[in-house]
Amino acid sequence: MISTLLASFLLFISCTINAQNSYEYGKLPSNLEAQRVADTYAVWKKKYVTSDGCPEGAKRILFDDMSHTVSEGIGYGLLASAMMKDKATFDAFYKYYNAHLDANGLMNWKIGPDGKMAGENAATDADVDVAYGLLLAHKLIGDEFYLAEAKKIIALIKKHMVEPETFVLKAGDAWGGSMTTNPSYFAPAYFKVFGKVTNDEFWNKVSDKCYEILFKSWNAETGLVPDWCKADGTTPAERVSWAKYGGKNYYYDAARTPWRIAKDYVWFGDKRAEKYCKAINGFIQKLGISNVTDGYTLDGKTFRTEKTSAFVGCFATATLTSNNQGFIDAAYTENINTFNDSYFNDILRLLTLQMQHGLFIKYE
């Protein structure tokens, strides 16, 4: 009886500590489960993290085919492991990143199971996450090396991944710009932090340009944006004929947009982020979080039937900007209960749960 009461008391204390809001703005779920993130991280590591095909001391993250590795996954892994203060895993991922650099000093986007390049040049979303992951590691793990590396990568992103003079975020270090950009790559909260870390006003201009394009490309009633667009907000973007549905719909690229934009509200209280998330939240509330499927036209018509963590989890992070506690709590429960057992969905489930638990903190 005593041991049962003690266990209940410790669980209460753990939940209370876990539920304290580490964000300056917004609200966390009130029904957080103390062990949820740690358990989710452990399961994810066991399934997707391997040293096979890696240099000594390095590890990589298995892609959709459970064979290749993409730089996007390494960026996600650095974020997740930094939040868990898992230095050994973080360092192993970063070693893999540095073993596969292109001529610009950024990771080639796809690597085969044998360690050979399978897709050349870098993808912007990956390196943006890598840079922020290094900043998180500096803050949470505490090695000055991480800060120096973050500054190095931020400088390379500025040089190779932002279109000169326009401040448009490119798709990669070898392509994209005003005729081809991706709203789900827009990370205005990161860019504000990059500006402070490097004392460079340039990054505030990139952040502003992201919002300009976001609001040109969105449907103001639903908040939904396309996978790919031009800087004037129109679709189709150039050079994305390979994209599903021509890149015109809210599909698996665009699904990440709420997760990226919501950070700019919970960290900085940015009114533009609030405006965007308000539209997204209105769409979700009208639809019902339990009815989310994995593909929409921008006016909110679904054309897919599967419920996936990429959509549910990223929508759920937008609810943190809401004042409706029941809505926030329901979105958390739905994210826990949506499980798809695949690379992209599993890692976004982990990252969005980390954000819902208040772990995705602002670097300062």
Side-chain angles (χ1 to χ4, degrees):
M1 180 64 176
I2 293 175
S3 61
T4 302
L5 288 172
L6 178 59
S8 298
F9 175 74
L10 291 174
L11 179 60
F12 169 76
I13 292 297
S14 179
C15 287
T16 301
I17 293 170
N18 205 19
Q20 290 177 347
N21 195 348
S22 56
Y23 303 133
E24 189 171 349
Y25 303 89
K27 293 183 177 182
L28 295 184
S30 64
N31 55 338
L32 293 176
E33 299 178 8
Q35 279 297 116
R36 178 60 60 179
V37 170
D39 291 347
T40 302
Y41 181 68
V43 169
W44 172 78
K45 275 183 66 176
K46 184 176 181 179
K47 180 169 183 180
Y48 295 101
V49 177
T50 182
S51 58
D52 292 345
C54 297
E56 185 177 353
K59 290 184 179 180
R60 64 189 180 97
I61 296 161
L62 297 172
F63 186 49
D64 283 331
D65 59 4
M66 298 299 286
S67 174
H68 289 75
T69 289
V70 291
S71 59
E72 167 201 86
I74 296 298
Y76 290 157
L78 289 170
L79 291 170
S81 57
M83 282 185 271
M84 302 308 292
K85 302 180 184 179
D86 183 355
K87 178 174 170 54
T89 301
F90 184 95
D91 290 347
F93 289 156
Y94 194 53
K95 186 167 186 177
Y96 187 85
Y97 177 92
N98 281 303
H100 298 287
L101 302 180
D102 68 7
N104 292 326
L106 299 161
M107 183 178 166
N108 285 298
W109 79 271
K110 191 174 188 180
I111 308 298
D114 56 1
K116 296 180 180 179
M117 181 178 64
E120 64 179 342
N121 304 314
T124 300
D125 61 324
D127 296 287
V128 165
D129 284 332
V130 169
Y132 197 76
L134 285 160
L135 291 175
L136 273 181
H138 177 247
K139 183 178 180 71
L140 297 173
I141 298 173
D143 190 324
E144 291 301 313
F145 170 76
Y146 300 138
L147 179 58
E149 290 295 294
K151 289 180 177 179
K152 180 181 75 175
I153 291 178
I154 290 167
L156 292 174
I157 295 170
K158 176 181 178 178
K159 182 177 181 180
H160 299 292
M161 293 178 158
V162 180
E163 187 176 61
E165 300 182 5
T166 67
F167 304 101
V168 173
L169 198 68
K170 294 167 59 180
D173 64 348
W175 73 296
S178 290
M179 302 307 291
T180 311
T181 192
N182 188 316
S184 77
Y185 291 8
F186 297 170
Y190 289 1
F191 301 149
K192 289 176 182 176
V193 172
F194 291 176
K196 291 183 178 181
V197 166
T198 60
N199 194 28
D200 190 348
E201 182 63 25
F202 171 89
W203 288 107
N204 287 330
K205 294 177 181 178
V206 177
S207 181
D208 291 343
K209 179 59 72 170
C210 287
Y211 278 116
E212 179 186 318
I213 299 170
L214 189 77
F215 291 128
K216 285 180 177 177
S217 67
W218 78 332
N219 180 296
E221 295 299 315
T222 63
L224 302 178
V225 296
D227 278 355
W228 295 92
C229 67
K230 297 175 183 175
D232 64 4
T234 60
T235 58
E238 290 187 355
R239 297 179 63 186
V240 294
S241 58
W242 43 265
K244 290 279 283 186
Y245 312 110
K248 298 179 182 180
N249 291 325
Y250 188 88
Y251 196 49
Y252 275 90
D253 268 304
R256 298 171 294 185
T257 309
W259 170 66
R260 293 207 183 274
I261 302 300
K263 295 188 193 83
D264 203 20
Y265 181 76
V266 299
W267 292 356
F268 293 103
D270 193 291
K271 293 297 183 183
R272 295 165 298 182
E274 184 179 31
K275 175 182 176 181
Y276 168 80
C277 290
K278 183 176 181 180
I280 286 289
N281 287 336
F283 171 70
I284 303 167
Q285 286 178 300
K286 184 177 180 180
L287 178 69
I289 189 70
S290 62
N291 297 319
V292 166
T293 53
D294 65 335
Y296 295 91
T297 56
L298 300 195
D299 61 359
K301 295 183 178 66
T302 187
F303 55 89
R304 301 270 298 184
T305 59
E306 189 175 359
K307 180 191 294 185
T308 68
S309 301
F311 283 75
V312 171
C314 291
F315 276 148
T317 60
T319 71
L320 302 180
T321 70
S322 170
N323 287 319
N324 186 333
Q325 192 67 57
F327 178 45
I328 297 168
D329 293 352
Y332 175 69
T333 298
E334 198 67 27
N335 197 14
I336 289 172
N337 292 337
T338 305
F339 188 78
N340 307 109
D341 200 27
S342 63
Y343 151 78
F344 192 69
N345 286 302
D346 280 356
I347 186 59
L348 282 174
R349 181 172 180 265
L350 171 60
L351 289 166
T352 55
L353 282 170
Q354 287 177 314
M355 186 167 169
Q356 286 177 297
H357 275 254
L359 301 178
F360 217 127
I361 58 175
K362 177 175 67 174
Y363 177 87
E364 53 188 352

mmCIF file of all heavy atoms in Angstrom, residues 13-23 28-29 32 357-359:
data_model
loop_
_atom_site.group_PDB
_atom_site.id
_atom_site.type_symbol
_atom_site.label_atom_id
_atom_site.label_comp_id
_atom_site.label_asym_id
_atom_site.label_seq_id
_atom_site.Cartn_x
_atom_site.Cartn_y
_atom_site.Cartn_z
ATOM 1 N N ILE A 13 4.311 14.147 -9.079
ATOM 2 C CA ILE A 13 5.371 15.150 -9.089
ATOM 3 C C ILE A 13 6.000 15.231 -10.475
ATOM 4 O O ILE A 13 6.249 16.311 -11.020
ATOM 5 C CB ILE A 13 6.453 14.817 -8.040
ATOM 6 C CG1 ILE A 13 5.866 14.967 -6.630
ATOM 7 C CG2 ILE A 13 7.671 15.710 -8.207
ATOM 8 C CD1 ILE A 13 5.421 16.383 -6.299
ATOM 9 N N SER A 14 6.267 14.068 -11.084
ATOM 10 C CA SER A 14 6.885 14.033 -12.409
ATOM 11 C C SER A 14 6.010 14.712 -13.443
ATOM 12 O O SER A 14 6.474 15.499 -14.259
ATOM 13 C CB SER A 14 7.158 12.584 -12.820
ATOM 14 O OG SER A 14 7.737 12.520 -14.089
ATOM 15 N N CYS A 15 4.703 14.434 -13.398
ATOM 16 C CA CYS A 15 3.770 15.054 -14.344
ATOM 17 C C CYS A 15 3.688 16.556 -14.125
ATOM 18 O O CYS A 15 3.608 17.335 -15.074
ATOM 19 C CB CYS A 15 2.386 14.429 -14.211
ATOM 20 S SG CYS A 15 2.257 12.760 -14.877
ATOM 21 N N THR A 16 3.716 16.962 -12.844
ATOM 22 C CA THR A 16 3.633 18.388 -12.538
ATOM 23 C C THR A 16 4.845 19.137 -13.083
ATOM 24 O O THR A 16 4.721 20.177 -13.727
ATOM 25 C CB THR A 16 3.536 18.601 -11.021
ATOM 26 O OG1 THR A 16 2.375 17.931 -10.536
ATOM 27 C CG2 THR A 16 3.442 20.075 -10.684
ATOM 28 N N ILE A 17 6.030 18.555 -12.867
ATOM 29 C CA ILE A 17 7.248 19.176 -13.392
ATOM 30 C C ILE A 17 7.213 19.206 -14.909
ATOM 31 O O ILE A 17 7.528 20.202 -15.550
ATOM 32 C CB ILE A 17 8.496 18.410 -12.898
ATOM 33 C CG1 ILE A 17 8.641 18.580 -11.383
ATOM 34 C CG2 ILE A 17 9.753 18.900 -13.604
ATOM 35 C CD1 ILE A 17 9.701 17.683 -10.767
ATOM 36 N N ASN A 18 6.797 18.090 -15.523
ATOM 37 C CA ASN A 18 6.772 17.971 -16.970
ATOM 38 C C ASN A 18 5.789 18.944 -17.598
ATOM 39 O O ASN A 18 5.951 19.359 -18.735
ATOM 40 C CB ASN A 18 6.408 16.525 -17.339
ATOM 41 C CG ASN A 18 6.928 16.136 -18.710
ATOM 42 O OD1 ASN A 18 7.820 16.769 -19.242
ATOM 43 N ND2 ASN A 18 6.357 15.079 -19.253
ATOM 44 N N ALA A 19 4.743 19.314 -16.852
ATOM 45 C CA ALA A 19 3.682 20.143 -17.413
ATOM 46 C C ALA A 19 3.973 21.633 -17.299
ATOM 47 O O ALA A 19 3.210 22.449 -17.779
ATOM 48 C CB ALA A 19 2.353 19.823 -16.724
ATOM 49 N N GLN A 20 5.060 22.009 -16.642
ATOM 50 C CA GLN A 20 5.383 23.417 -16.538
ATOM 51 C C GLN A 20 5.755 23.952 -17.910
ATOM 52 O O GLN A 20 6.553 23.362 -18.626
ATOM 53 C CB GLN A 20 6.533 23.621 -15.551
ATOM 54 C CG GLN A 20 6.128 23.354 -14.108
ATOM 55 C CD GLN A 20 7.297 23.494 -13.155
ATOM 56 O OE1 GLN A 20 8.436 23.552 -13.574
ATOM 57 N NE2 GLN A 20 6.997 23.541 -11.871
ATOM 58 N N ASN A 21 5.171 25.096 -18.277
ATOM 59 C CA ASN A 21 5.357 25.614 -19.623
ATOM 60 C C ASN A 21 6.719 26.277 -19.760
ATOM 61 O O ASN A 21 7.014 27.263 -19.106
ATOM 62 C CB ASN A 21 4.238 26.616 -19.951
ATOM 63 C CG ASN A 21 4.162 26.908 -21.435
ATOM 64 O OD1 ASN A 21 5.041 26.556 -22.203
ATOM 65 N ND2 ASN A 21 3.089 27.553 -21.838
ATOM 66 N N SER A 22 7.542 25.723 -20.640
ATOM 67 C CA SER A 22 8.867 26.288 -20.877
ATOM 68 C C SER A 22 8.854 27.267 -22.042
ATOM 69 O O SER A 22 9.905 27.756 -22.444
ATOM 70 C CB SER A 22 9.871 25.165 -21.157
ATOM 71 O OG SER A 22 9.435 24.369 -22.239
ATOM 72 N N TYR A 23 7.669 27.547 -22.587
ATOM 73 C CA TYR A 23 7.531 28.524 -23.658
ATOM 74 C C TYR A 23 7.015 29.843 -23.085
ATOM 75 O O TYR A 23 6.188 29.858 -22.171
ATOM 76 C CB TYR A 23 6.571 28.028 -24.739
ATOM 77 C CG TYR A 23 6.960 26.697 -25.344
ATOM 78 C CD1 TYR A 23 6.021 25.681 -25.508
ATOM 79 C CD2 TYR A 23 8.270 26.456 -25.759
ATOM 80 C CE1 TYR A 23 6.370 24.465 -26.072
ATOM 81 C CE2 TYR A 23 8.630 25.241 -26.315
ATOM 82 C CZ TYR A 23 7.668 24.245 -26.474
ATOM 83 O OH TYR A 23 8.019 23.037 -27.023
ATOM 84 N N LEU A 28 0.669 24.559 -22.908
ATOM 85 C CA LEU A 28 0.928 23.137 -23.085
ATOM 86 C C LEU A 28 -0.330 22.339 -22.767
ATOM 87 O O LEU A 28 -1.226 22.824 -22.071
ATOM 88 C CB LEU A 28 2.052 22.677 -22.160
ATOM 89 C CG LEU A 28 3.455 23.243 -22.380
ATOM 90 C CD1 LEU A 28 4.426 22.567 -21.423
ATOM 91 C CD2 LEU A 28 3.909 23.062 -23.813
ATOM 92 N N PRO A 29 -0.401 21.088 -23.233
ATOM 93 C CA PRO A 29 -1.495 20.213 -22.793
ATOM 94 C C PRO A 29 -1.478 20.056 -21.276
ATOM 95 O O PRO A 29 -0.404 20.057 -20.654
ATOM 96 C CB PRO A 29 -1.182 18.888 -23.497
ATOM 97 C CG PRO A 29 -0.349 19.265 -24.672
ATOM 98 C CD PRO A 29 0.468 20.443 -24.222
ATOM 99 N N LEU A 32 -0.400 15.872 -20.002
ATOM 100 C CA LEU A 32 0.869 15.271 -20.399
ATOM 101 C C LEU A 32 1.166 14.003 -19.607
ATOM 102 O O LEU A 32 0.931 13.938 -18.405
ATOM 103 C CB LEU A 32 2.014 16.271 -20.197
ATOM 104 C CG LEU A 32 2.010 17.515 -21.090
ATOM 105 C CD1 LEU A 32 3.145 18.449 -20.690
ATOM 106 C CD2 LEU A 32 2.129 17.135 -22.552
ATOM 107 N N HIS A 357 5.457 18.707 -25.178
ATOM 108 C CA HIS A 357 5.931 18.577 -23.803
ATOM 109 C C HIS A 357 6.782 19.760 -23.362
ATOM 110 O O HIS A 357 7.307 19.759 -22.248
ATOM 111 C CB HIS A 357 6.715 17.271 -23.638
ATOM 112 C CG HIS A 357 5.863 16.077 -23.364
ATOM 113 N ND1 HIS A 357 5.768 15.474 -22.138
ATOM 114 C CD2 HIS A 357 5.013 15.390 -24.185
ATOM 115 C CE1 HIS A 357 4.922 14.451 -22.196
ATOM 116 N NE2 HIS A 357 4.462 14.378 -23.430
ATOM 117 N N GLY A 358 6.949 20.749 -24.233
ATOM 118 C CA GLY A 358 7.712 21.937 -23.864
ATOM 119 C C GLY A 358 9.210 21.771 -23.959
ATOM 120 O O GLY A 358 9.963 22.588 -23.419
ATOM 121 N N LEU A 359 9.672 20.739 -24.673
ATOM 122 C CA LEU A 359 11.098 20.468 -24.763
ATOM 123 C C LEU A 359 11.786 21.199 -25.898
ATOM 124 O O LEU A 359 13.017 21.341 -25.906
ATOM 125 C CB LEU A 359 11.324 18.953 -24.932
ATOM 126 C CG LEU A 359 10.782 18.070 -23.817
ATOM 127 C CD1 LEU A 359 11.026 16.594 -24.153
ATOM 128 C CD2 LEU A 359 11.420 18.406 -22.485
#
